Amino acid sequence: MAMSRRGVLFGGGLLGGLAVAGVASARTRTVDPYPLEEFFGTARTRAVSLSPSGTRIAVMEQLGTEETPRGVIDIIQSDDPEGPRFRIELGPVVVEAMEWGNDDRLLARIAITQTTRARTVTGSNRRIQGVELTSWRVISVHVGTGEGVVMFQDQRQRMRYSMDMGQVVDMLPDDPDHVLMTAWERDGVLGLHRVNINTGSAERIERGSGGTFGWQTQGGVPVMRHDINSRGTMETVFARAPGETSWKMVRRTRVIDAPDFAWVGETDRPGIVLVSARGEGEDTETVREIDLRTLAMGPPMNGRSGRDVVYGLKDSAGRYLGAAYYGRQLEYEFAEAALAPHHRALQRFFDNECDVHLTDVSRDRNRFIAYITGPREPGAWYFYDREARAIVGIGASRRFEVDRLGSSEIMTVATRDGATIEAYLTAPPGGAPGPLVVLPHGGPEVRDTQAWDRQVQVLAAQGWWVLRPNFRGSGGYGLDFARQGWARWGDRMQDDVEDAVAHAISTRGLPADKVAIMGASYGGYAALMGAAKRPDLYKAAIGICGVYDLPDMLAWEDREDDIPGKPIYDFWTKRIGDPDTMGAALEAASPRRRVGDLACPILLVHGVTDRIVPIAQSRRMRDALRAGGKPTELIEIEDYGHADWPDSQEQALMERYVALLRTAFA
């Protein structure tokens, strides 16, 4: 699917394109799966962007090798998308993101890694080896000449001490010569700056507080500010209407799991902006207006029952077009009904197997950039021209042969207590019955989707089926669905996983004696708790940055919560349970206190600097297992936190996971 191809529109439908085999047909073929290392190559295309006028397409690509990177941008004329490309060389850098500053200039975010010189410590014979340092910058590139300037280049002292100067806040569409960007001050406080994209010169217009990490603006004026706590887990949102001088707190929201408030965009009325939020007493999160003066929110816009909004869609001028949701795949509730058949046509072009994200929409709604991802598509960009009635492949992050990857389906699972949940089941290439690996997601108030998941494909390439259940307690399905998992970590949420396993085994004829479970964060908890509850079912368990002792975790959250009113601790006592009233139940739902029930091999992995789940959780789990005479190993990842390690580390870990599971399934 990542190959360039063209289809023709007739009557709102796309004809042509590549036929994608479904799960059933894939089972009839013998195929050669990809080796594990093939999934860890460098992504080539990093971004595709449509110019504000819709006349040009920019393609950012990473060439070279990890040791000798080379970043480039190709410029394509929209009226000839398969024609010649004008290439702009960015040099030996890693490219990350890109936006148009105006019709003639691109803003490219790059990462530059340098090794400091080795030096001898004064007064000793000790020599310190060079240290790798990475800094982020934004370069403004003229697409006609290739000439570039670095943002903030007139502030040499700031350039020396600030590692990250690569965040654009507002493209200022009504001011084609400037953008708003953030940069750190010498005292560690974030500042908001107005930067000239032609010269790189900057002037500060706003200074944040100690915890500020970003702003949103209306008409170039800061109207919303975001502060974060020291652990990076809780965000406090402030608002200020144009003309006001003081900030008002809007709400606090979780950053990692269960966020319930986000910026969507401006409106043409000063002091009125669009956000996604869950109103008081409402089940789902939706797009709505908020009055920055009174903080009153308007009624839901383009809502969908039982589904939380994913994001709001806007055109290149910042005008609101609709809201995105996950149904069977990524779908939109459009504010402009005329756009709906075009998105459906794009979905059909990819045989309804992929998510079609409309990342760029021209002002006249004629030209689009669509980002495509799916179970067998790691990421590709397509240009869609309504008037020319054509869709053209522009770039791809990686190129895989579809038939050599595992195909996926959505299962509706009936739970033992009469509810229903959704689960994603991925077959190995060829679809032959084989072992099953269960991957409960983290969060837990997030959800799995049908988007590309490298871990899933690595496991499927070994000849294994992979199951990802959206158990009750997951996010994305509304607050009521999430609440059904609150304080039910050890029972209902685990039961839903087990019911999904039983459904997959019975409907696909999989061997019931070859099942393993693995996951990260909450998924790590679910993996070890599953193994404790069902030692007869799981042959191996892998926990990555997991929680294994609920009372200990809650006590740590209590100690670490430095926000007045302890909102983080309150959040987790609602989700996990109140130790004052559920002490015995929390102990029974803690894998570390149920070592005697564990019978399978267990592998633990944890980042040493994890601030979300402390590494002490894994160390104590390891010690308890060893004290109980149970086989286990803990791999500690130095200098990294909550499963945030690089690809090279992830590849080495996947090799360990596969080796353990292969032995367990033998």
Side-chain angles (χ1 to χ4, degrees):
M1 284 185 295
M3 303 301 290
S4 176
R5 54 194 177 154
R6 179 184 290 272
V8 181
L9 279 170
F10 291 101
L14 280 162
L15 304 182
L18 180 65
V20 180
V23 172
S25 59
R27 292 179 189 154
T28 65
R29 290 191 297 272
T30 301
V31 297
D32 179 26
Y34 284 99
L36 185 148
E37 60 271 13
E38 286 290 323
F39 293 98
F40 290 89
T42 300
R44 176 161 175 148
T45 304
R46 299 297 174 88
V48 174
S49 186
L50 187 66
S51 67
S53 65
T55 58
R56 292 187 178 111
I57 304 166
V59 185
M60 174 179 274
E61 300 208 320
Q62 188 68 57
L63 307 179
T65 65
E66 186 174 344
E67 294 74 22
T68 58
R70 173 183 160 220
V72 303
I73 295 176
D74 287 342
I75 304 300
I76 304 171
Q77 299 301 314
S78 298
D79 58 3
D80 186 17
E82 294 180 302
R85 300 185 175 195
F86 172 66
R87 173 156 290 182
I88 300 170
E89 295 280 352
L90 298 180
V93 299
V94 174
V95 293
E96 294 190 350
M98 168 184 65
E99 290 185 86
W100 289 88
N102 56 40
D103 267 323
D104 295 317
R105 282 193 170 272
L106 276 165
L107 301 180
R109 175 180 165 92
I110 63 172
I112 305 170
T113 300
Q114 296 175 314
T115 303
T116 61
R117 292 182 179 179
R119 61 185 178 87
T120 301
V121 178
T122 303
S124 74
N125 294 320
R126 187 160 58 91
R127 188 168 177 80
I128 298 176
Q129 296 299 316
V131 176
E132 279 195 351
L133 297 175
T134 300
S135 57
W136 288 266
R137 298 290 184 263
V138 170
I139 300 176
S140 172
V141 182
H142 192 284
V143 298
T145 65
E147 168 266 334
V149 297
V150 180
M151 300 294 93
F152 296 96
Q153 68 179 21
D154 62 329
Q155 301 184 18
R156 296 185 179 276
Q157 187 178 26
R158 185 191 301 277
M159 294 280 282
R160 282 195 294 270
Y161 70 73
S162 184
M163 302 300 292
D164 190 351
M165 301 171 66
Q167 299 295 335
V168 178
V169 171
D170 190 340
M171 301 305 294
L172 298 177
D174 295 328
D175 181 358
D177 294 325
H178 295 87
V179 295
L180 297 183
M181 297 182 63
T182 59
W184 296 101
E185 308 298 320
R186 286 298 293 257
D187 59 0
V189 172
L190 196 67
L192 182 63
H193 301 256
R194 186 171 181 263
V195 189
N196 188 302
I197 65 175
N198 303 303
T199 66
S201 61
E203 61 173 334
R204 193 179 74 195
I205 65 170
E206 184 86 12
R207 176 181 162 87
S209 70
T212 299
F213 70 94
W215 289 268
Q216 265 90 33
T217 60
Q218 184 179 34
V221 177
V223 295
M224 198 167 283
R225 194 186 83 205
H226 303 266
D227 291 5
I228 199 166
N229 66 324
S230 59
R231 287 176 54 201
T233 55
M234 182 68 73
E235 173 187 351
T236 304
V237 183
F238 298 90
R240 183 180 68 188
E244 294 182 339
T245 57
S246 60
W247 293 98
K248 307 178 289 288
M249 191 181 85
V250 180
R251 69 169 64 188
R252 288 196 172 103
T253 183
R254 290 285 298 172
V255 176
I256 299 171
D257 36 39
D260 61 358
F261 188 90
W263 172 269
V264 172
E266 304 179 46
T267 72
D268 57 4
R269 290 166 291 156
I272 306 295
V273 298
L274 296 175
V275 297
S276 64
R278 197 187 320 272
E280 186 69 29
E282 293 179 351
D283 181 48
T284 58
E285 184 176 345
T286 54
V287 174
R288 61 220 307 149
E289 293 181 346
I290 183 172
D291 187 323
L292 299 173
R293 297 175 185 84
T294 65
L295 303 186
M297 289 194 295
M301 300 167 58
N302 309 112
R304 180 176 289 194
S305 177
R307 304 285 172 167
D308 291 318
V309 66
V310 181
Y311 57 82
L313 177 66
K314 298 173 290 183
D315 68 9
S316 61
R319 292 173 296 193
Y320 174 71
L321 299 179
Y325 296 89
Y326 270 107
R328 301 282 300 177
Q329 60 199 102
L330 185 84
E331 301 162 358
Y332 290 98
E333 293 288 347
F334 286 102
E336 297 187 20
L339 295 176
H342 293 278
H343 186 255
R344 288 196 297 267
L346 288 168
Q347 290 175 317
R348 289 195 297 271
F349 184 73
F350 298 99
D351 292 334
N352 292 307
E353 185 181 355
C354 294
D355 292 335
V356 178
H357 295 263
L358 300 178
T359 59
D360 289 323
V361 181
S362 63
R363 292 186 180 98
D364 62 2
R365 318 290 197 271
N366 181 56
R367 288 172 171 169
F368 305 75
I369 298 295
Y371 176 67
I372 313 301
T373 180
R376 297 187 288 179
E377 175 53 80
W381 288 262
Y382 284 78
F383 172 63
Y384 172 43
D385 190 317
R386 288 172 61 177
E387 185 176 330
R389 297 192 295 184
I391 178 170
V392 180
I394 298 297
S397 58
R398 301 288 310 282
R399 299 192 185 277
F400 289 106
E401 296 176 33
V402 171
D403 289 346
R404 296 178 64 187
L405 298 171
S407 54
S408 184
E409 62 180 312
I410 303 175
M411 300 191 309
T412 300
V413 178
T415 66
R416 64 191 66 183
D417 59 355
T420 59
I421 63 169
E422 292 180 338
Y424 295 90
L425 181 64
T426 301
L436 176 67
V437 181
V438 188
L439 285 181
H441 60 69
E445 268 174 67
V446 297
R447 58 160 294 175
D448 278 316
T449 71
Q450 68 171 359
W452 172 261
D453 189 311
R454 180 174 61 186
Q455 193 174 68
V456 169
Q457 289 295 339
V458 168
L459 296 172
Q462 314 309 311
W464 306 331
W465 292 67
V466 185
L467 177 67
R468 295 177 297 149
N470 282 327
F471 40 82
R472 282 171 289 180
S474 300
Y477 295 91
L479 185 59
D480 180 64
F481 188 85
R483 277 180 172 156
Q484 292 179 49
W486 291 9
R488 305 298 297 270
W489 280 35
D491 46 64
R492 175 179 287 163
M493 296 170 77
Q494 295 295 145
D495 292 345
D496 283 359
V497 174
E498 292 175 17
D499 292 343
V501 171
H503 183 85
I505 289 173
S506 64
T507 59
R508 295 296 174 262
L510 307 182
D513 60 344
K514 293 186 176 182
V515 182
I517 186 168
M518 63 181 285
S521 196
Y522 173 83
Y525 165 83
L528 265 67
M529 192 61 200
K533 284 193 67 179
R534 292 293 306 275
D536 59 314
L537 177 62
Y538 296 114
K539 305 306 177 188
I542 300 171
I544 305 163
C545 299
V547 177
Y548 307 119
D549 191 304
L550 300 185
D552 283 1
M553 186 67 196
L554 287 169
W556 184 80
E557 292 285 4
D558 189 16
R559 291 193 303 272
E560 293 291 312
D561 192 354
D562 56 356
I563 302 175
K566 290 190 177 292
I568 301 174
Y569 179 67
D570 180 64
F571 175 92
W572 284 117
T573 55
K574 287 179 180 176
R575 268 71 179 176
I576 296 174
D578 188 340
D580 292 335
T581 60
M582 295 180 59
L586 294 176
E587 291 180 7
S590 297
R592 187 172 80 90
R593 307 189 187 211
R594 298 187 56 166
V595 167
D597 296 326
L598 293 165
C600 66
I602 291 172
L603 176 64
L604 303 173
V605 179
H606 215 120
V608 174
T609 61
D610 194 340
R611 292 288 293 154
I612 309 302
V613 177
I615 193 172
Q617 285 282 317
S618 286
R619 288 173 175 168
R620 291 169 182 164
M621 186 73 225
R622 173 202 59 195
D623 295 345
L625 285 163
R626 288 179 176 175
K630 302 300 175 71
T632 190
E633 179 182 2
L634 169 59
I635 301 174
E636 297 190 5
I637 312 299
E638 299 288 342
D639 301 321
Y640 287 97
H642 200 59
D644 60 353
W645 32 83
D647 274 5
S648 57
Q649 182 67 67
E650 180 66 18
Q651 180 178 343
L653 288 171
M654 284 303 304
E655 290 169 353
R656 296 291 302 274
Y657 305 156
V658 168
L660 173 65
L661 297 175
R662 187 171 289 132
T663 300
F665 292 146

